[in-house]
Amino acid sequence: MKLLMRFCLLGITSLSILFLSGCGNNAPASSKKCSKQVITVWHWMTDREPAFKELSKKYEEKTGIKVNFELYAPSDQYSQKVRAAAQGQTLPDIFGALGEKRDFASLIKSGQVLNLESYMNDGFGAWKNKFFAKALAVNEFSSDDVYKVPAGIYGVPIDITTIQIVYNKKLLKKLGIDPNRPVLDFQGFLDVGKKIKTLGVQGLVSGWGEIWMIDCFANNYAFNIMGRDKVLATIKGKVSYTDPDWIKVLTIFKEMKEAGILTDGVVTMVNKTAEQLFANEKSVFAFNGSWCANVYNGMNPNLDYGVMLPPKVSDKFPMAIWGGAGSSFVVNARSENKEEAIKFLKWLTDKEQQAYLAKKTNNLPANKDCLDSIPPILAQFADDMEYATHPNVWGVSEFPVVIEAWDKGIQSIIIGEKTPEQVATEVQRIKERELAKKKK
């Protein structure tokens, strides 16, 4: 009898060790057979970490399920961790996927990301209808998508962003412009540049040392001057970058520089420097994303500023701005906690939690039903969501070397090294070279 009891105790002890090992912090999330009460989330968002922790406590009190938010920053380091975990199939239950759409598509095609389409559409689209459509679009693949991903929605936006021009109301008033009605056409914008130096301040500041921000600004005007179809036709190789409309896009940078709108050194400026200049009232305008509301509030809580679309050049097509989902979470398709992960994400994107996140982090909520609960400056960024677009929703991608040549070419125009025509010719030559490589 004693021998039998020893075997039983030994068995129980062994099972306990296995149980604890499976739930340990060092165990791969995908192998946690006992982790139905624990959901692991990886993210890179340092500014949202305290709010995530607080929401985790609330969710555990409500459901008994613990949500572990694990922060890995900066974003480059985080991306490397996700890539390594994807290769080792040790991704957590929920994670954010950074990078271009082709990177996202690669993760999906390797079976790492769950298609959420059926969950979004359940109950007549109850979950899907909470979001701004353009926020969902960033996480969506259509049946004819170039990346050959099965159609569906693969990510849950937790906030949105738009990138626009912000203006200092006090400085604009000194320039004789009504700060409550600052809508300008492009010529009016250039005319302001001629007056700015009389105030002893700078014009437009932005982090154009980070060339993606130049690319964003240029794309806004490409959409305004020639429309979406012609822009995408160019990316497909059916329209040349030497087309007069593309020359016109390049020329706006030359005109802004000559008019005095652009601040000195803008082509080498990082966005943090640009944010400090605007927050300290050293510049009239800044080209920045909606995240700036949080940044400016920390640098100068008394800063009085407003938001406007970039001044349009043409009335033929609407002005576009980059925007959509700011940050999104995806569900690990291999997770044993898929259903619990989805329940948590549904709760996280409910109105109450979204309003809490917006209040605590000054990021725009992805849930369109809680805009009346956010600060007025954020509402101004959200109001222009209808103009938002983003390369990740275009269905085609330009060659990275072409984008680099285009953006560096704009920098050369701003500092007077090259003309718009020279840059257009160089970019088209690189484009044709890459197209030829692709055909081989």
Side-chain angles (χ1 to χ4, degrees):
M1 186 65 181
K2 287 182 178 178
L3 184 62
L4 178 61
M5 288 180 68
R6 282 182 184 174
F7 275 121
C8 288
L9 285 171
L10 181 62
I12 291 169
T13 303
S14 299
L15 285 172
S16 298
I17 291 171
L18 286 172
F19 180 88
L20 291 170
S21 298
C23 294
N25 290 335
N26 295 325
S30 59
S31 69
K32 293 179 180 177
K33 297 181 183 300
C34 56
S35 60
K36 288 183 180 177
Q37 302 302 308
V38 180
I39 298 170
T40 302
V41 184
W42 285 3
H43 75 102
W44 70 96
M45 297 166 265
T46 51
D47 63 325
R48 276 154 272 194
E49 175 74 352
F52 284 155
K53 296 281 188 189
E54 189 59 33
L55 288 172
S56 173
K57 286 180 188 174
K58 290 182 180 179
Y59 193 69
E60 186 172 5
E61 290 169 3
K62 177 182 174 68
T63 65
I65 296 174
K66 185 173 180 59
V67 180
N68 278 334
F69 279 94
E70 296 182 7
L71 172 65
Y72 301 97
S75 55
D76 286 350
Q77 181 182 327
Y78 173 79
S79 294
Q80 289 173 11
K81 185 172 181 64
V82 168
R83 279 196 291 271
Q87 290 172 356
Q89 298 189 7
T90 56
L91 285 165
D93 305 304
I94 298 172
F95 61 101
L98 294 175
E100 296 182 7
K101 195 124 184 187
R102 60 166 62 89
D103 302 320
F104 191 23
S106 177
L107 267 177
I108 296 168
K109 289 166 75 174
S110 64
Q112 312 271 12
V113 180
L114 186 67
N115 188 341
L116 300 171
E117 180 85 28
S118 61
Y119 297 95
M120 286 282 178
N121 288 325
D122 192 33
F124 301 100
W127 192 17
K128 183 177 181 178
N129 292 334
K130 290 179 181 176
F131 299 106
F132 286 99
K134 293 192 175 181
L136 275 180
V138 173
N139 298 306
E140 197 167 5
F141 289 82
S142 61
S143 57
D144 59 348
D145 196 276
V146 295
Y147 302 108
K148 310 298 183 189
V149 168
I153 298 170
Y154 289 86
V156 181
I158 59 167
D159 52 45
I160 60 172
T161 185
T162 62
I163 303 175
Q164 302 191 57
I165 288 181
V166 294
Y167 57 90
N168 182 304
K169 290 186 175 181
K170 184 170 69 179
L171 294 178
L172 213 57
K173 190 174 181 181
K174 286 183 178 178
L175 291 168
I177 298 172
D178 183 352
N180 296 313
R181 302 185 63 187
V183 180
L184 302 166
D185 60 14
F186 192 69
Q187 186 55 55
F189 190 50
L190 296 181
D191 291 343
V192 173
K194 295 169 185 171
K195 303 176 185 174
I196 281 175
K197 289 190 177 177
T198 62
L199 295 183
V201 296
Q202 298 285 352
L204 178 80
V205 294
S206 188
W208 287 0
E210 306 165 37
I211 58 176
W212 74 268
M213 293 196 78
I214 288 185
D215 203 50
C216 172
F217 197 84
N219 272 301
N220 293 343
Y221 281 97
F223 272 66
N224 176 232
I225 290 169
M226 69 188 83
R228 174 190 169 97
D229 291 346
K230 192 167 180 178
V231 172
L232 300 193
T234 308
I235 295 173
K236 291 174 183 174
K238 297 177 180 177
V239 174
S240 171
Y241 279 104
T242 56
D243 182 277
D245 280 343
W246 284 104
I247 301 285
K248 197 170 183 180
V249 174
L250 292 170
T251 301
I252 66 168
F253 292 92
K254 180 173 182 282
E255 292 174 338
M256 286 192 294
K257 177 61 179 176
E258 291 174 350
I261 274 287
L262 299 181
T263 186
D264 298 334
V266 69
V267 298
T268 57
M269 187 176 287
V270 297
N271 207 39
K272 186 55 67 182
T273 302
E275 288 170 339
Q276 286 169 341
L277 285 169
F278 186 78
N280 291 325
E281 305 194 77
K282 302 295 185 186
S283 67
V284 181
F285 302 105
F287 180 63
N288 209 352
S290 48
W291 60 81
C292 69
N294 196 33
V295 177
Y296 295 150
N297 187 54
M299 293 177 171
N300 181 3
N302 297 318
L303 183 66
D304 190 11
Y305 64 103
V307 182
M308 68 181 200
L309 290 171
K312 61 183 179 181
V313 169
S314 167
D315 290 324
K316 194 173 179 182
F317 298 99
M319 175 57 72
I321 53 173
W322 277 18
S327 306
S328 299
F329 281 131
V330 302
V331 176
N332 181 354
R334 294 190 172 95
S335 167
E336 295 180 359
N337 298 322
K338 286 193 285 286
E339 296 303 321
E340 291 299 343
I342 291 165
K343 286 178 187 173
F344 171 69
L345 289 176
K346 284 184 175 179
W347 178 83
L348 185 66
T349 50
D350 271 347
K351 183 176 178 179
E352 182 179 348
Q353 284 69 246
Q354 283 278 285
Y356 174 82
L357 268 175
K359 182 179 178 183
K360 292 293 181 181
T361 69
N362 271 325
N363 287 294
L364 290 173
N367 187 322
K368 62 188 179 186
D369 297 328
C370 57
L371 290 184
D372 56 353
S373 309
I374 64 176
I377 193 69
L378 286 179
Q380 289 182 44
F381 274 105
D383 282 349
D384 294 322
M385 197 65 189
E386 63 182 295
Y387 300 100
T389 186
H390 192 273
N392 282 352
V393 303
W394 296 347
V396 290
S397 300
E398 184 54 277
F399 297 109
V401 291
V402 173
I403 296 173
E404 184 180 4
W406 172 262
D407 297 334
K408 289 188 174 179
I410 292 173
Q411 290 179 326
S412 297
I413 292 169
I414 292 172
I415 61 178
E417 281 186 350
K418 294 178 182 174
T419 66
E421 290 78 8
Q422 286 174 318
V423 171
T425 301
E426 290 177 8
V427 172
Q428 183 59 25
R429 178 176 54 77
I430 294 170
K431 174 77 175 188
E432 289 173 3
R433 184 192 69 194
E434 294 304 307
L435 286 171
K437 281 185 191 174
K438 193 176 179 182
K439 288 178 181 175
K440 289 181 180 177

